[in-house]
Amino acid sequence: DLYAGLLPALFITVPSTGLYYGVRDVVKRTLMPVFQFPNGNIPVLLLAAFAGDVVALAFRTPADTLSIRLQTEAANAESNQLRNPQNCSETKLYFVDVLNDTTTPNHDDDDTWDSSIQEGYAGNWFFESIERLPAVIITDLPYLLSRIALNSSILKLQGPTVGVGRYEATVVFTAILCAFLTTPFDVVRTRILIDSSTTSRGSQ
């Protein structure tokens, strides 16, 4: 089901987006009257966007880390099954027997059992995501700041009155261009979040 994860994704994306725009607007309204630059307010816009991005990433990075690691583990398991279906079938039967064995410790506590399985797949995803938050912020900044700076510069060149169609075209163009140029940073950020002792063992 392609939309199975839509609702959980919205629970993370919607609040983090609201945090980004809320913090950005508060910082922008606070700094605009204080700092006046001769070439426009691009530095204020960049600083406000940076503040909003930090807060939004702090909110959503743990969930992104868990999601990426579980998806990676599932992909590794599927790849191993394609390479060696006999061993995977035996492993699957073993875990079925373990789960059906009422003498196995912690089976009486389903929440504890599920948590231990999840921790085995994703590692200590919450604390590791907090530890790596500075690296996540650094790898996210090139796209965010380049998009704002390029978008503001192009709109400034077009004059004070820009139609809705031209404005939308400019925003879409700058977003696509900056996403293309900063894709290596996205790859680095994903690998930073994936990296854990558990997932690295599964990908070997």
Side-chain angles (χ1 to χ4, degrees):
D1 189 357
L2 295 178
Y3 298 98
L6 178 60
L7 189 59
L10 289 177
F11 280 134
I12 299 299
T13 302
V14 173
S16 65
T17 303
L19 285 172
Y20 168 76
Y21 285 106
V23 173
R24 188 198 67 174
D25 288 346
V26 169
V27 174
K28 183 172 64 175
R29 291 169 187 253
T30 303
L31 297 181
M32 280 289 191
V34 179
F35 299 99
Q36 296 295 330
F37 296 92
N39 295 325
N41 293 318
I42 292 181
V44 174
L45 296 177
L46 294 177
L47 183 59
F50 170 74
D53 195 47
V54 169
V55 175
L57 287 175
F59 177 82
R60 69 172 299 157
T61 296
D64 288 343
T65 302
L66 176 61
S67 174
I68 290 173
R69 291 187 180 185
L70 292 179
Q71 290 173 4
T72 302
E73 189 67 30
N76 289 336
E78 184 176 354
S79 177
N80 291 334
Q81 185 175 5
L82 292 175
R83 288 197 301 264
N84 199 341
Q86 180 63 31
N87 288 347
C88 289
S89 298
E90 294 175 357
T91 302
K92 187 182 298 183
L93 291 174
Y94 168 77
F95 279 110
V96 168
D97 292 338
V98 171
L99 290 173
N100 290 332
D101 184 7
T102 56
T103 63
T104 302
N106 294 331
H107 272 218
D108 294 334
D109 189 349
D110 292 338
D111 293 336
T112 304
W113 182 250
D114 293 341
S115 299
S116 62
I117 293 176
Q118 177 175 289
E119 184 175 353
Y121 285 147
N124 195 355
W125 56 272
F126 183 81
F127 291 104
E128 288 178 358
S129 66
I130 299 301
E131 291 175 354
R132 297 166 191 182
L133 183 59
V136 173
I137 294 172
I138 291 174
T139 54
D140 190 64
L141 284 180
Y143 169 75
L144 177 70
L145 300 184
S146 62
R147 179 173 60 86
I148 294 174
L150 183 60
N151 187 59
S152 300
S153 300
I154 293 177
L155 291 176
K156 184 179 179 181
L157 292 175
Q158 292 178 356
T161 57
V162 180
V164 176
R166 181 175 294 182
Y167 176 82
E168 294 294 335
T170 301
V171 171
V172 172
F173 169 76
T174 55
I176 294 174
L177 178 61
C178 294
F180 173 77
L181 295 176
T182 59
T183 295
F185 293 97
D186 293 338
V187 176
V188 171
R189 181 169 62 253
T190 300
R191 293 189 176 184
I192 289 173
L193 295 180
I194 287 177
D195 183 27
S196 73
S197 58
T198 301
T199 53
S200 62
R201 285 198 302 269
S203 60
Q204 289 176 351

